Amino acid sequence: MKSVLIILLLVPFSLIAQTVAIRGVVREGKEELPMAHITVLPDSTTAVSDAKGRFALSLRPGLKQVVVSYTGFETTLYSFFLSRDTTLTFALRPRSDELNAIVVTANRAQTKLFESTRSGTNILSSEEINAIPVLGGEADLIKVLQLLPGTIRGVEGTSDIFVRGGAADQNLVLLDEATVYNTSHLFGFVSVFNPDIIKSVESINGSFPATVGGRLSSILHVNTHSEIATKTRVSGNIGLIASRLFIEQPIIKNKVSVWVAARRTYIDQVVKLVNQQLPYLFYDINAKLSVRPTDRDLLSFSMYSGDDLLDIFRDRNNDGIGSLTSFQSGNTSQTFQWTRQLSKKWYSTFTALRTAYQYDIQNAFRTNRLKTFSNITDVGAKVLFGTNEGVGKGSVKFGLDWTHHNVSPSVVSTTGLIAEFLAGGTAPGRAIHEMALFGQYERSFSDRWLLTAGLRTSFAFTGERNYVIPEPRFSARYEINPTQALKFSYSRMAQYLHRISNSAVTAPTDIWYPVTKDIQPQTAHQFSVAWQKTLPKTGVFISVESYYKPMNNLIGLEEGTNLFFNTDFEKRLVQGKGNAYGFEFLVKKELGNLTGWISYTLSWSNRQFDAVNQGVWFPSRYDRRHNGAIVTQYALHPRWAISAVWEFISGSKFTPVIGQYGVMAPSTTGLDLIPIYAPINSVKLADSHRLDLGVKFKSKPERKFKTEWFAGVYNVYNRANPVGITVQINEDGSMKYEQPGLFGLLPFISYGFKF
Amino acid sequence: MDSNFNKKHLFALAIMAMVALAGCQPDPLPVDPIPQLKPRIVVSSQLVPGQTVAILLTKSFGALDANGDSDPVSLINKIAINDASVIIENSVGEYTLTFIGNGVYGGVSIPLVYDEVYTLNVESPTMGKVTASTYVKPPVQFATLGGKFEDTGFDSLAQVHFSFQDLAGKNYYLLNAQHVTAEEPPEPTEFLNPKLSIHLFEDDPAVDGQLVVDSIKVIFRRDSYPGDSLLVQLSNISQDYYKFLKLRKENRFNFSDFVGEPINYPTNVQGGLGWFTLHIPDVRVITIDP
């Protein structure tokens, strides 16, 4: 144990009592540390600091040793002779070990969440993301989120998430405050987030603060590293699917630094070595320049660019004349952010951003060409003012968000003979301004009650019709005791941008479309109640939460609408209602050799559209009743760790073809067979469950060039996780239904390094 | 070891082998019982040249009972309804259709009065009763019709140019073309889901009642024989039937059952499925020489 910096204040209090008081506060810098342990020897008396970091003890006078410990921080030992009431202030320093620092950050963040009025929120550390074996061994933020309560995945392997009964487009994904419209590479199997750049991930599924909005179901904040680097840092990873490299470099000591990260598949290059062709690749590039011109200011400029590229050339006759099909799908974003400490109490954040997503599909053969294109571009700004008050002391936040959305939803262009069969066309471009004004106040009104009340008023200006929607936000915390709390919340959410997609699966070629004079904003109310408990000594956090969420103006399509090459889809859009409710359970352990979590969600999600299913309510496609996961990592040794994930999820709903009928073809001969579908989403696919195992081996920590091997198996017992129901023809000509899966047992291995 | 097979190749192969060998495709899972389809009466109709009405009565069947590759004769035998009483009535009288065979019921000499409502009544002791109503739209006829073979280099098309007099008011037209080979009768598989070129269009109010001149292109395979022809039909149809055909055309080639949108196809048959229509086609045959 080391002695660190201690600030000692001796205040003259009464000396007459046989016992005297030690009072104090435990801090890190200006921030109080709740749940710190204070032990006084030789009395063996222990206290735990409260939410404001304060503690108090009554002791007999004499020589004392005070031991102060807090997870992730260096333990402090202070010896003195206690003769009168004394007030002490302890300022702790974090431990220098990086791994524990990351866990500490998450643990502290979890503690802060527990102390706040917020529920329905998950925080992930980069260590957690990198420790979990996933498809192909590529660490993936979205795949980890899918293992947490309240978040349901779509088709196996894809990056869609469905939060508390919402649709995939009801989740606002922000990378350094810039919206990411397409979160996936490799047709959904890998997310766009390079794990090396992630500093923190916060997923808000309920109890929304007034500072966030724009989607009905969740806000996912992915924040990249923004601290000023003090030394050069290089890290990389070579895996089966992709490889990545991260370089961080100080430019001006303690003032300016930059980092760059890149990731690319290389399997296309590997197969070239054996004279094969794999005409697909994806890449990501992220970069950030951080500047701290003064102690009060931090500026950063970050950028992201990523693409999926596919080029297929087919020459059936080997005569050099063939067809070329190309597919490109990609996001770009740029964010400028300026955070300033205006005074001891007030701070401000200003953000300017630009983000764009587009896809482009082309097919060419001789003089024939088919091209389809879609694009959405946002420019925007955000301003936030707030106070740094401690929990319950009356903190304020207010500000303004503005975004201009410019959408070119679908352009189909055909030339040559194909134009005779498929006419080109352009769905009208749309542009809207989306704005929000918000204010929020948090204060404790007794020893036990903490309340947060806010209002976010959002606007959309389409040029033809304007929308104004007040979105009240309210959350409350009742402290049962220092380690248990009840939480209540209500949020109203509005959404002005919708993703139009096939109800069966979402795809990179889905269309983003704003509100119009006819297409109204989606809205939702959400009510939630939660019970939370922490066990500080073991770093365990327990949460049980229930929610109810009615939704209006949800987007759907008329029956039979085909989105492919369809520029006239707006007439086929319909709007309806939905509801979702359920229970979420989470036990999370972040300290010790064994870490991880157990999550379970019991949920229902339903929809109703007048134009669909004869107006009868039906289950949503991803109304998956039970959803659970056991995620564990065990540190066998400082250099060895094993991890396991077992996931269970009820089958999604499906609408199979259950029959056919024949009508005379509109010609003089022939019979057309027309399919008959079951009622919408009336059939449940088989339940999915899967076990993934991984083992990690690290080089000796004293080495400058550190390495790490991560190997494992996805879907150890090779079970099919169904994606739908198909009719298969047997060898004898008879037919049967079956449910195919996508992936079976898949091993993975990756090599990481850093120096 | 082959000198050309160096470490680089070995590494690549090891990676490929690990992925390929271990990427075992799991066996599909069986399906729990899904809703059973209760067979229902299906009605479809045609007016053949000479204004003979043909009604085809079949019953719906399960998804596991047949598909587009099934033997059409066996299928028709299985699903045809041969015990029904079929009557068409209008304001003037009732006309009982004669059972011809394989679910087909024919009626000759049924007077067809334009814009008159005709009601079909079907009663089968095994399948129950259904009714449907429609009205006869005034026919249109080709003013001109011709075709020309066009070799694109990688495939071949037939360009069909035509004209007709648009009828006054709002109208919906069906134009379809079917390749008829002169070499031999169509393959049995062509009977189910035959390859048709279907064109649906609404008339343009700007040229209401005027001569419509247009052309379409139809796939006409390179290996066509001399004397091959196109069977071309032009009909004036009801709006509801137009919507049914449009929906069918848009989803005709959904490439996967579990990616496509489920559709409840409309029907004007009360208590059943299909469509009862009495549009009068102008049927022509044009020869396309390669």
Side-chain angles (χ1 to χ4, degrees):
Chain A
M1 294 184 286
K2 291 183 181 178
S3 294
V4 294
L5 176 67
I6 296 173
I7 300 170
L8 176 66
L9 297 174
L10 296 174
V11 177
F13 290 104
S14 167
L15 304 177
I16 299 176
Q18 289 186 341
T19 59
V20 293
I22 297 179
R23 299 188 185 88
V25 64
V26 182
R27 287 201 175 112
E28 182 218 359
K30 293 179 182 178
E31 191 177 349
E32 292 102 357
L33 297 178
M35 313 303 290
H37 283 262
I38 302 97
T39 303
V40 181
L41 302 173
D43 305 63
S44 297
T45 301
T46 302
V48 176
S49 63
D50 65 10
K52 298 176 181 60
R54 299 170 306 192
F55 65 90
L57 293 160
S58 291
L59 302 164
R60 290 180 181 278
L63 181 65
K64 307 293 178 187
Q65 282 185 326
V66 182
V67 180
V68 181
S69 61
Y70 191 86
T71 306
F73 284 75
E74 295 172 344
T75 301
T76 298
L77 172 67
Y78 175 63
S79 298
F80 73 108
F81 189 86
L82 179 64
S83 60
R84 54 189 172 178
D85 291 346
T86 302
T87 299
L88 304 172
T89 299
F90 294 96
L92 305 187
R93 281 185 181 162
R95 276 204 202 113
S96 60
D97 180 81
E98 187 179 309
L99 169 62
N100 286 332
I102 294 168
V103 174
V104 162
T105 301
N107 184 257
R108 281 178 54 203
Q110 193 69 66
T111 303
K112 275 190 176 177
L113 268 181
F114 171 73
E115 295 292 335
S116 74
T117 59
R118 291 171 57 192
S119 57
T121 301
N122 296 300
I123 292 177
L124 287 175
S125 66
S126 60
E127 181 68 15
E128 285 172 317
I129 296 167
N130 282 290
I132 293 172
V134 290
L135 187 64
E138 185 70 16
D140 193 295
L141 153 65
I142 301 291
K143 301 294 188 294
V144 174
L145 274 178
Q146 292 170 348
L147 299 171
L148 290 166
T151 303
I152 289 178
R153 63 172 170 82
V155 172
E156 184 195 17
T158 62
S159 294
D160 286 325
I161 54 174
F162 301 84
V163 176
R164 291 190 171 179
D169 72 329
Q170 293 176 0
N171 309 300
L172 181 62
V173 181
L174 300 172
L175 178 63
D176 286 339
E177 298 300 318
T179 302
V180 179
Y181 282 101
N182 178 27
T183 58
S184 66
H185 286 307
L186 197 56
F187 303 101
F189 301 138
V190 176
S191 79
V192 299
F193 302 107
N194 184 334
D196 289 341
I197 66 169
I198 296 174
K199 173 190 172 186
S200 66
V201 176
E202 182 186 44
S203 170
I204 308 173
N205 299 344
S207 185
F208 296 93
T211 55
V212 299
R215 299 288 190 272
L216 297 194
S217 289
S218 78
I219 312 292
L220 178 63
H221 283 287
V222 182
N223 296 309
T224 62
H225 297 292
S226 56
E227 302 84 10
I228 305 295
T230 55
K231 60 179 181 177
T232 302
R233 187 159 65 98
V234 177
S235 66
N237 188 278
I238 301 170
L240 288 180
I241 293 181
S243 294
R244 53 185 199 259
L245 184 67
F246 174 90
I247 301 173
E248 185 173 35
Q249 175 66 44
I251 307 294
I252 299 174
K253 185 178 177 182
N254 296 328
K255 293 283 187 187
V256 182
S257 69
V258 66
W259 59 256
V260 178
R263 179 173 62 161
R264 187 198 191 279
T265 53
Y266 65 94
I267 197 71
D268 58 319
Q269 300 300 317
V270 169
V271 298
K272 274 186 185 175
L273 299 176
V274 291
N275 294 322
Q276 297 296 319
Q277 296 291 328
L278 183 64
Y280 168 80
L281 69 93
F282 76 78
Y283 73 86
D284 289 317
I285 298 175
N286 296 79
K288 194 167 196 174
L289 175 72
S290 299
V291 181
R292 190 181 283 282
T294 72
D295 286 342
R296 291 170 175 258
D297 298 280
L298 177 64
L299 290 83
S300 63
F301 178 77
S302 58
M303 62 80 64
Y304 165 75
S305 179
D307 268 310
D308 282 67
L309 300 166
L310 174 70
D311 287 295
I312 300 175
F313 179 73
R314 275 205 190 118
D315 178 6
R316 286 188 218 171
N317 303 320
N318 289 320
D319 59 359
I321 300 172
S323 66
L324 175 67
T325 301
S326 65
F327 170 81
Q328 177 266 331
S329 161
N331 297 292
T332 59
S333 70
Q334 301 87 36
T335 306
F336 168 76
Q337 200 158 39
W338 175 26
T339 303
R340 178 172 173 85
Q341 193 67 39
L342 297 168
S343 66
K344 190 175 177 183
K345 187 173 162 183
W346 286 90
Y347 70 91
S348 67
T349 303
F350 170 76
T351 307
L353 57 93
R354 177 193 172 275
T355 185
Y357 169 70
Q358 75 168 45
Y359 72 79
D360 187 323
I361 303 172
Q362 297 191 45
N363 182 272
F365 180 76
R366 295 192 184 213
T367 58
N368 299 282
R369 190 166 177 168
L370 165 68
K371 176 181 165 85
T372 181
F373 168 86
S374 181
N375 167 275
I376 178 168
T377 303
D378 291 352
V379 290
K382 304 182 183 183
V383 178
L384 169 70
F385 293 92
T387 58
N388 286 327
E389 304 290 352
V391 175
K393 290 185 179 176
S395 66
V396 170
K397 289 181 185 172
F398 62 90
L400 158 74
D401 289 351
W402 163 74
T403 306
H404 178 254
H405 302 289
N406 196 344
V407 179
S408 180
S410 180
V411 176
V412 177
S413 164
T414 53
T415 55
L417 285 165
I418 196 171
E420 302 292 338
F421 303 100
L422 180 63
T426 302
R430 297 277 178 191
I432 70 165
H433 291 271
E434 183 180 345
M435 277 182 56
L437 296 169
F438 57 86
Q440 176 177 292
Y441 182 66
E442 179 182 274
R443 187 178 182 86
S444 57
F445 289 90
S446 73
D447 287 343
R448 293 185 182 268
W449 281 99
L450 178 66
L451 302 177
T452 306
L455 177 65
R456 182 181 181 89
T457 302
S458 58
F459 309 82
F461 306 104
T462 72
E464 295 171 306
R465 183 175 175 179
N466 302 326
Y467 296 97
V468 180
I469 298 179
E471 300 177 37
R473 309 282 173 86
F474 174 79
S475 55
R477 179 182 189 271
Y478 175 75
E479 181 174 293
I480 300 171
N481 58 50
T483 61
Q484 280 188 75
L486 283 174
K487 295 184 178 179
F488 313 88
S489 77
Y490 164 75
S491 304
R492 187 178 189 215
M493 307 294 284
Q495 180 168 335
Y496 299 98
L497 203 60
H498 321 298
R499 187 168 86 180
I500 316 298
S501 65
N502 181 281
S503 64
V505 293
T506 54
T509 51
D510 292 340
I511 298 167
W512 284 95
Y513 205 63
V515 293
T516 66
K517 61 178 174 63
D518 300 313
I519 307 297
Q520 298 186 46
Q522 301 182 62
T523 59
H525 303 274
Q526 189 176 147
F527 306 85
S528 69
V529 176
W531 170 80
Q532 295 181 344
K533 181 171 176 63
T534 62
L535 302 170
K537 288 184 181 176
T538 51
V540 171
F541 172 76
I542 304 170
S543 171
V544 180
E545 185 166 354
S546 71
Y547 65 89
Y548 172 67
K549 186 163 83 175
M551 296 169 276
N552 282 302
N553 296 328
L554 299 181
I555 293 290
L557 291 167
E558 284 181 351
E559 290 185 5
T561 303
N562 190 339
L563 279 182
F564 290 107
F565 311 122
N566 185 347
T567 57
D568 200 28
F569 58 87
E570 184 176 343
K571 295 176 190 170
R572 310 298 294 270
L573 293 176
V574 295
Q575 295 194 269
K577 297 184 282 195
N579 61 46
Y581 47 94
F583 299 89
E584 297 169 0
F585 172 77
L586 173 70
V587 176
K588 195 173 186 188
K589 184 174 186 290
E590 293 182 315
L591 299 178
N593 289 334
L594 178 67
T595 57
W597 66 82
I598 300 172
S599 69
Y600 171 71
T601 303
L602 173 66
S603 64
W604 290 259
S605 174
N606 303 293
R607 300 286 186 268
Q608 188 271 333
F609 296 87
D610 290 341
V612 175
N613 205 41
Q614 288 108 38
V616 178
W617 281 85
F618 58 91
S620 72
R621 167 96 163 124
Y622 294 105
D623 173 38
R624 308 184 85 160
R625 192 70 64 245
H626 306 281
N627 179 18
I630 301 174
V631 179
T632 59
Q633 185 185 23
Y634 186 74
L636 291 166
H637 180 270
R639 296 170 63 193
W640 283 93
I642 54 174
S643 52
V645 173
W646 184 76
E647 182 190 13
F648 173 88
I649 184 165
S650 298
S652 59
K653 299 301 194 306
F654 190 68
T655 313
V657 173
I658 57 171
Q660 300 174 82
Y661 62 95
V663 294
M664 284 195 269
S667 64
T668 56
T669 61
L671 194 71
D672 266 349
L673 297 181
I674 298 177
I676 301 173
Y677 290 86
I680 300 239
N681 296 335
S682 58
V683 174
K684 185 176 86 69
L685 298 180
D687 299 335
S688 299
H689 51 87
R690 190 192 77 244
L691 173 66
D692 310 325
L693 298 174
V695 58
K696 194 172 274 195
F697 172 68
K698 297 180 187 178
S699 61
K700 292 179 180 175
E702 59 269 20
R703 292 182 66 180
K704 189 174 179 187
F705 187 86
K706 296 181 176 55
T707 61
E708 177 181 285
W709 287 92
F710 188 27
V713 180
Y714 176 90
N715 197 358
V716 168
Y717 48 82
N718 200 35
R719 177 183 165 86
N721 291 299
V723 296
I725 293 178
T726 59
V727 175
Q728 296 298 320
I729 300 174
N730 298 318
E731 287 180 2
D732 62 359
S734 63
M735 287 177 278
K736 63 178 179 183
Y737 288 117
E738 62 182 22
Q739 303 178 71
L742 274 181
F743 301 110
L745 185 151
L746 279 178
F748 65 86
I749 187 167
S750 67
Y751 171 76
F753 60 90
K754 60 182 174 182
F755 57 91
Chain B
M1 188 178 285
D2 188 336
S3 59
N4 290 329
F5 199 78
N6 56 26
K7 282 185 181 176
K8 195 165 61 169
H9 289 105
L10 182 60
F11 172 73
L13 274 179
I15 298 292
M16 296 280 292
M18 187 183 294
V19 175
L21 287 175
C24 305
Q25 189 68 25
D27 292 332
L29 298 176
V31 176
D32 289 338
I34 63 175
Q36 292 297 310
L37 186 70
K38 183 182 171 189
R40 298 166 71 186
I41 296 176
V42 180
V43 172
S44 54
S45 59
Q46 268 188 3
L47 277 176
V48 297
Q51 297 194 354
T52 298
V53 175
I55 301 289
L56 173 66
L57 296 181
T58 57
K59 50 189 169 187
S60 58
F61 52 97
L64 303 183
D65 294 339
N67 61 27
D69 295 326
S70 299
D71 173 46
V73 174
S74 302
L75 177 62
I76 288 288
N77 286 336
K78 191 174 174 182
I79 64 174
I81 297 174
N82 298 325
D83 62 355
S85 148
V86 181
I87 298 172
I88 292 177
E89 63 183 42
N90 64 356
S91 59
V92 176
E94 289 185 356
Y95 309 92
T96 301
L97 275 65
T98 306
F99 175 64
I100 297 172
N102 286 330
V104 178
Y105 298 77
V108 297
S109 304
I110 296 177
L112 296 176
V113 179
Y114 305 149
D115 295 324
E116 170 98 345
V117 174
Y118 287 76
T119 300
L120 174 73
N121 295 302
V122 172
E123 188 166 345
S124 160
T126 54
M127 292 296 298
K129 298 179 188 178
V130 297
T131 63
S133 295
T134 188
Y135 57 99
V136 180
K137 297 281 286 180
V140 287
Q141 293 191 326
F142 288 111
T144 60
L145 180 65
K148 190 173 69 170
F149 186 81
E150 198 171 300
D151 191 335
T152 66
F154 67 96
D155 208 328
S156 51
L157 301 174
Q159 180 167 21
V160 179
H161 47 85
F162 60 92
S163 66
F164 65 93
Q165 194 72 31
D166 177 43
L167 300 173
K170 183 67 181 172
N171 295 286
Y172 300 85
Y173 297 112
L174 164 65
L175 175 73
N176 62 65
Q178 186 175 15
H179 183 181
V180 181
T181 176
E183 175 73 5
E184 57 188 332
E187 294 291 333
T189 54
E190 289 288 326
F191 184 77
L192 294 179
N193 295 329
K195 294 184 183 63
L196 298 178
S197 178
I198 298 175
H199 299 263
L200 296 160
F201 47 97
E202 304 173 44
D203 60 0
D204 183 354
V207 291
D208 187 35
Q210 299 180 31
L211 188 70
V212 174
V213 181
D214 206 342
S215 68
I216 59 171
K217 288 193 177 163
V218 176
I219 293 178
F220 201 80
R221 292 292 172 205
R222 186 191 292 276
D223 55 356
S224 305
Y225 294 94
D228 276 10
S229 54
L230 271 181
L231 188 69
V232 184
Q233 300 184 61
L234 176 67
S235 306
N236 177 18
I237 60 176
S238 68
Q239 183 181 13
D240 288 341
Y241 188 49
Y242 170 87
K243 287 180 179 176
F244 170 76
L245 290 177
K246 192 162 185 285
L247 191 60
R248 185 74 194 110
K249 182 182 175 185
E250 286 172 354
N251 292 278
R252 191 181 185 89
F253 301 113
N254 264 342
F255 60 89
S256 172
D257 284 342
F258 59 72
V259 174
E261 290 285 327
I263 307 163
N264 286 309
Y265 283 96
T267 177
N268 70 349
V269 179
Q270 292 185 26
L273 295 165
W275 207 277
F276 174 51
T277 174
L278 289 176
H279 60 271
I280 304 171
D282 183 11
V283 183
R284 308 285 183 96
V285 175
I286 53 174
T287 304
I288 310 287
D289 288 322

